[in-house]
Amino acid sequence: MSDTREPILEVEGLTKYYESGGGVVDTLLGRSQEVKAVDGVDLELYPGETLGIVGESGCGKTTLAQALLRLIEPTAGTVRYRGEDLTAASDDRLRSLRKDIQYIFQDPFSSLNPRLTVGDIVGEPLDIHGIAAGEARTRRIDDLLETVGLSQRHAHRYPHEFSGGQRQRIGIARALAVDPEVIVCDEPVSALDVSVQAQILNLLEDLQDEFGLSYIVIAHDLSVVEHIADRVGVLYLGEFAEMGATGDVFGPPHHPYAEALLSAIPEPDPGWEGDRIFLSGEVPSPLDPPDGCRFHTRCPKVIQPEGSSLSQSEWRSLLDLKQRLRDADALESVTAVAESDGGAAGPAHLSRSALGERVREEFDLPSPVSDDEAESALSESIDRLHDGDFDAARAAIDDAFESPCERTDPPLYAVGDGHRIACLLYGEDYPDAPERA
Amino acid sequence: MALLEVDDLTVNYYTEEGVVTAVEDLSFRIDRGEKFGVVGESGAGKSVTALSLLRLVERSGRIESGEIRFKGEDLLSMSESAVRDVRGNEIAMIFQDAQTALNPVYTVGEQIAETIRHHLDYGDAAARERTVRLLDDVGIPEPEARYDDYPHEFSGGMQQRAVIAMALSCDPDLLIADEPTTALDVTIEAKILDRLDRLAAEYDTAIQLITHDLGVIAEVCDRVLVMYAGRAVERASVEELYYDPKHPYTVGLMSAIPRIGDRQDRLQTIPGTMPDLVEVPSGCSFHPRCPFAEEACTRTRPQLVDPATGERAGPDERSAACLAYTGDLDGELDYEVEVRGRDAGAATAESEPPEPDGGGVDRGADPDADSEGKADE
């Protein structure tokens, strides 16, 4: 996208924290926690383009989409539409601004009022914004239904009479009623069957050509986003990990998270032999996101400290062990399950060498690991585990294995024209990192 | 002898709107250790097929006719208690929604151990040990600690793994997985499919994988059955199906999926939607949506035939249910399918001519066909 044009929508530092579940007592005692659903997101949307936003569940996609329109009130940050700050707008002003920015919901089954006819559903925004009444209103509704591939005969029916694909068309007609400039689509096709999904995606593209719309499309399905978007942002735990033109994001250089996501898509081709990247662990809780780079707890390419000569997989395993130890209070947490050892005894009764083997087995670590210093720290830690002293075991490992990724939160580094990646590997300190393109 | 033999299975549901034939004249075979895929969109009859295999069809439904033989024994004529021994023990099932498949008031470990004690007569300690090992096998970290967790303490991916562990707990010969990864993120899905694949090999378990996702089928399965409106429309090995599909519906499905690395502007679509099963179209049920349909298709119901010879095909042979292969059509199926992986970069599946009425298939080409027959006056 050319940066010479003015963005139609400009978002800076958008943040949404939720108060976490605690009850009244927790609140009184000051124990409530914040869920950092969206944490300081910047983005621009240019006229006529489609910006795709992808990420796994829980990464903040829907919160971001709704905070953009103030469907939920953002905690901080600004959203400027044609230069005007939405977050500072009065309720009245916001209402009239919503004529220009519309929203299409994920679930076509719950986003339409079952008691209204399709005509009234599509006509409601016309009434609210005082756009058309009487004969003109009817004509406008008929036009809209036709535009999305329904017919005026459908205006007098109720939502339950329609299939999922048709309901999504009704939702689109409702969004179009006010002649918007921007439409935010939250998982517009995820509830639909493959053949219907293609119809809706094509419809969205046709409407964009016809009315010059700009879209923000939220989806978890990367192939859908790749198909429809001009630019893509990859969201991880409320922050963008990568942002750029679709072709750039889907090709190298990659953020390690984006790379793993791409490798995981099941390819509809039985002959395809790709290398899957399996991430260790699960998405961490947004209640307490990791320090430094939020992805470092799972990243296969997490950076080693200077002078280390470990293989990358050993390094990853050692960090996994370190994380596991952090909240461990029993040996079972850090040892492999034995094939069969009579069950009852448990790892506390193992000899020092047997315990060492079981720990290494659980984390796929060779004996010894390929770096002498690392090996001595590891055996020191296993010694302490054998003594039953978890704090000492933690200390032995914490000091020895620390990645720069744990300390530094990487900004989005520019790696190409409009292509930015939030990973230290692309920063100035690592000019010759192997992943750099 | 195949592990599972299904012959001419027909399942009806008796609803207020009338009799719905959810599955009609369905036959297939699954061999020992084989990974068999069933693919189709919602309403195709995939899940009902799976439920019938365990005789779990709900009360409003009835298995009207057909035979289901498991290891040569007729499941449909077995007593209820005999079927219960087969369920879980020899045929296990993984449901789409792990959250509802787990009992919220028992710990995860206890639920699995209970199955083991019940079916395999294990003692408490031995069942616990086996459970922990199973949890470890399916990739749940710290299995001893997680044994005593309740289902709500597990994430979605973990719950699905626990369900897989439960399904594998008694070394079943057949594992029926109904959309096992549909509710999960791709990174978790990749891990679970990989586990499933390896565990099936390890335990020599056959898998019947039911899904709408052609990517998942391509990754896991050996042979595939494509269903449409309650009937099998094509049966083939996974390579044949993806590189040389024979039924127009399969062709349509293949071209409708957006593929990574394929920057075509428009997706090919299949006009309309799956018909309402109360009113299945006459003749070939796909004819209202088929670009190659002719007059004959509205009258004659096609049988599954060998696409090369037009002869009626056996229940484990490559076959497609289209009149084009029995010489009943004047025209020919004129399409091309080209699959190139994302590494090759360029364009992929093409099928032409896909649009019988000259373009605009999506935008209200035929609102009636699109309305599932429901919204008609």
Side-chain angles (χ1 to χ4, degrees):
Chain A
M1 279 304 112
S2 76
D3 288 326
T4 51
R5 284 184 295 161
E6 282 292 304
I8 190 165
L9 204 64
E10 208 174 356
V11 175
E12 254 174 64
L14 192 68
T15 301
K16 175 66 190 175
Y17 293 168
Y18 292 103
E19 286 289 307
S20 147
V24 180
V25 178
D26 286 336
T27 314
L28 285 177
L29 294 175
R31 278 198 309 222
S32 71
Q33 281 178 295
E34 280 175 330
V35 179
K36 295 174 177 159
V38 173
D39 208 359
V41 163
D42 299 341
L43 63 86
E44 301 91 42
L45 180 69
Y46 294 93
E49 78 162 347
T50 302
L51 173 68
I53 295 176
V54 295
E56 295 176 278
S57 41
C59 73
K61 301 187 297 286
T62 296
T63 304
L64 171 60
Q66 299 193 343
L68 278 177
L69 274 75
R70 278 180 68 191
L71 293 177
I72 49 176
E73 213 49 54
T75 311
T78 57
V79 179
R80 275 197 296 280
Y81 169 71
R82 293 191 190 279
E84 181 176 356
D85 188 359
L86 252 68
T87 51
S90 68
D91 285 357
D92 278 352
R93 182 66 194 138
L94 187 64
R95 176 175 286 188
S96 63
L97 278 172
R98 287 214 179 113
K99 263 202 308 199
D100 291 334
I101 312 176
Q102 280 288 311
Y103 198 92
I104 296 174
F105 293 86
Q106 168 171 14
D107 183 358
F109 294 88
S110 61
S111 59
L112 303 177
N113 187 339
R115 290 163 189 251
L116 293 185
T117 63
V118 168
D120 284 334
I121 288 171
V122 176
E124 206 173 22
L126 300 175
D127 306 338
I128 290 173
H129 295 290
I131 293 171
E135 189 61 18
R137 179 178 182 273
T138 315
R139 262 206 318 278
R140 175 90 179 126
I141 292 170
D142 290 350
D143 278 355
L144 285 164
L145 289 178
E146 209 122 308
T147 308
V148 298
L150 298 170
S151 87
Q152 38 174 298
R153 296 184 290 119
H154 294 120
H156 302 292
R157 300 189 186 146
Y158 290 88
H160 73 265
E161 295 176 70
F162 294 88
S163 66
Q166 287 176 306
R167 287 187 217 202
Q168 202 55 294
R169 287 174 198 266
I170 297 169
I172 294 171
R174 175 175 60 185
L176 288 176
V178 293
D179 237 335
E181 300 285 320
V182 177
I183 302 185
V184 178
C185 314
D186 186 5
E187 298 274 11
V189 296
S190 67
L192 306 175
D193 271 322
V194 179
S195 66
V196 182
Q197 167 181 313
Q199 295 169 9
I200 299 293
L201 290 176
N202 284 345
L203 173 64
L204 286 173
E205 297 203 67
D206 291 345
L207 295 174
Q208 181 163 49
D209 291 344
E210 199 171 331
F211 301 109
L213 298 167
S214 313
Y215 291 134
I216 292 181
V217 176
I218 312 275
H220 70 283
D221 185 334
L222 283 98
S223 44
V224 165
V225 167
E226 200 234 13
H227 177 76
I228 199 168
D230 301 309
R231 286 192 306 132
V232 177
V234 181
L235 210 54
Y236 185 75
L237 276 179
E239 293 181 343
F240 276 122
E242 184 167 350
M243 168 76 96
T246 305
D248 291 342
V249 171
F250 279 75
H254 289 295
H255 187 285
Y257 174 62
E259 189 175 10
L261 265 189
L262 283 172
S263 83
I265 309 168
E267 184 76 14
D269 175 1
W272 187 75
E273 299 275 347
D275 279 333
R276 289 257 139 76
I277 300 168
F278 296 111
L279 297 176
S280 57
E282 304 240 310
V283 184
S285 158
L287 269 176
D288 184 19
D291 293 333
C293 171
R294 293 197 167 174
F295 188 52
H296 84 259
T297 56
R298 304 169 76 200
C299 181
K301 293 187 171 161
V302 60
I303 297 169
Q304 301 189 27
E306 245 169 272
S308 158
S309 60
L310 289 163
S311 74
Q312 187 61 27
S313 69
E314 287 173 332
W315 174 240
R316 177 70 257 169
S317 298
L318 285 167
L319 288 186
D320 286 346
L321 169 61
K322 172 176 155 181
Q323 276 155 28
R324 190 80 68 80
L325 263 181
R326 215 164 261 173
D327 355 83
D329 48 12
L331 285 176
E332 276 86 354
S333 313
V334 289
T335 50
V337 174
E339 271 313 303
S340 184
D341 58 352
H349 299 268
L350 291 172
S351 68
R352 162 65 181 80
S353 67
L355 178 68
E357 273 171 35
R358 290 271 282 278
V359 171
R360 286 175 207 264
E361 188 192 334
E362 174 72 1
F363 294 94
D364 274 333
L365 284 165
S367 177
V369 295
S370 54
D371 182 284
D372 293 342
E373 272 179 55
E375 175 57 35
S376 71
L378 175 61
S379 6
E380 163 77 13
S381 178
I382 297 174
D383 286 342
R384 297 289 80 82
L385 281 176
H386 188 242
D387 303 341
D389 186 348
F390 281 83
D391 286 335
R394 268 190 279 273
I397 247 185
D398 267 355
D399 300 341
F401 308 120
E402 192 179 48
S403 164
C405 302
E406 291 176 75
R407 277 177 273 115
T408 318
D409 187 8
L412 281 157
Y413 295 107
V415 294
D417 187 19
H419 186 198
R420 285 167 296 158
I421 297 179
C423 175
L424 287 180
L425 285 173
Y426 300 97
E428 277 147 26
D429 295 344
Y430 301 91
D432 43 34
E435 283 71 32
R436 208 180 167 100
Chain B
M1 183 179 65
L3 177 68
L4 180 81
E5 300 164 288
V6 175
D7 280 316
D8 305 319
L9 180 72
T10 299
V11 182
N12 283 345
Y13 277 80
Y14 294 86
T15 69
E16 282 176 18
E17 283 140 68
V19 180
V20 173
T21 304
V23 174
E24 191 171 1
D25 278 340
L26 187 69
S27 307
F28 62 92
R29 300 275 181 274
I30 299 179
D31 288 322
R32 261 175 205 285
E34 183 183 35
K35 285 164 283 180
F36 185 78
V38 179
V39 70
E41 298 177 279
S42 21
K46 309 183 299 280
S47 296
V48 176
T49 309
L51 292 174
S52 340
L53 298 184
L54 289 168
R55 280 198 18 209
L56 288 175
V57 178
E58 299 149 68
R59 198 169 300 158
S60 58
R62 198 191 307 156
I63 299 176
E64 295 291 334
S65 60
E67 270 185 64
I68 302 174
R69 282 185 308 279
F70 181 70
K71 296 183 180 170
E73 278 186 73
D74 187 0
L75 279 179
L76 296 181
S77 61
M78 272 184 192
S79 71
E80 187 54 35
S81 72
V83 170
R84 217 174 297 150
D85 279 341
V86 172
R87 270 184 221 143
N89 196 3
E90 294 183 84
I91 306 181
M93 180 141 180
I94 301 172
F95 295 92
Q96 170 171 359
D97 187 355
Q99 205 160 4
T100 54
L102 293 168
N103 188 332
V105 301
Y106 289 101
T107 64
V108 171
E110 177 52 28
Q111 297 185 45
I112 299 172
E114 184 191 15
T115 324
I116 297 171
R117 289 197 303 265
H118 177 80
H119 282 299
L120 304 181
D121 283 331
Y122 273 46
D124 285 355
R128 184 184 174 101
E129 195 191 323
R130 189 182 163 97
T131 304
V132 169
R133 209 149 357 106
L134 278 162
L135 291 175
D136 188 50
D137 272 352
V138 295
I140 290 179
E142 309 179 49
E144 288 95 345
R146 304 309 295 262
Y147 183 97
D148 295 315
D149 279 358
Y150 287 89
H152 74 266
E153 293 172 89
F154 276 43
S155 68
M158 288 291 174
Q159 289 176 345
Q160 194 57 278
R161 284 170 209 224
V163 170
I164 294 175
M166 193 186 299
L168 290 172
S169 61
C170 302
D171 281 339
D173 293 309
L174 174 63
L175 186 63
I176 302 173
D178 188 358
E179 305 268 11
T181 55
T182 303
L184 306 175
D185 285 316
V186 279
T187 53
I188 311 285
E189 173 176 69
K191 279 202 236 180
I192 289 199
L193 291 178
D194 184 61
R195 287 274 169 187
L196 204 57
D197 209 21
R198 274 194 286 144
L199 292 171
E202 201 175 300
Y203 293 76
D204 195 29
T205 304
I207 298 183
Q208 180 182 346
L209 180 69
I210 298 168
T211 177
H212 69 283
D213 189 330
L214 290 160
V216 171
I217 295 268
E219 190 173 327
V220 177
C221 296
D222 309 319
R223 287 194 308 131
V224 192
L225 182 76
V226 183
M227 290 187 73
Y228 185 79
R231 297 178 65 93
V233 294
E234 182 160 1
R235 192 168 43 214
S237 74
V238 72
E239 287 82 13
E240 288 167 335
L241 191 82
Y242 283 70
Y243 299 136
D244 185 21
K246 290 297 186 192
H247 194 280
Y249 175 62
T250 317
V251 174
L253 272 187
M254 293 288 169
S255 359
I257 30 176
R259 292 168 193 253
I260 302 285
D262 169 21
R263 293 295 289 165
Q264 58 181 354
D265 281 345
R266 292 183 70 81
L267 293 165
Q268 306 291 351
T269 63
I270 309 175
T273 52
M274 176 89 71
D276 190 327
L277 292 177
V278 177
E279 280 179 276
V280 178
S282 62
C284 171
S285 46
F286 186 58
H287 83 256
R289 304 176 71 189
C290 181
F292 312 108
E294 295 179 11
E295 173 68 28
C297 302
T298 64
R299 281 181 277 107
T300 318
R301 169 164 284 187
Q303 302 297 319
L304 275 172
V305 295
D306 181 336
T309 62
E311 303 286 321
R312 222 191 134 120
D316 51 0
E317 289 165 6
R318 155 116 233 221
S319 51
C322 180
L323 293 181
Y325 302 112
T326 49
D328 292 314
L329 294 190
D330 300 329
E332 286 183 355
L333 301 187
D334 181 18
Y335 57 81
E336 274 171 42
V337 173
E338 190 185 338
V339 178
R340 262 186 265 153
R342 60 177 111 158
D343 300 325
T348 50
E350 286 172 21
S351 84
E352 51 180 318
E355 298 170 2
D357 48 6
V361 177
D362 326 281
R363 276 236 256 146
D366 181 358
D368 287 323
D370 201 21
S371 64
E372 281 191 344
K374 264 179 156 184
D376 277 327
E377 270 116 353

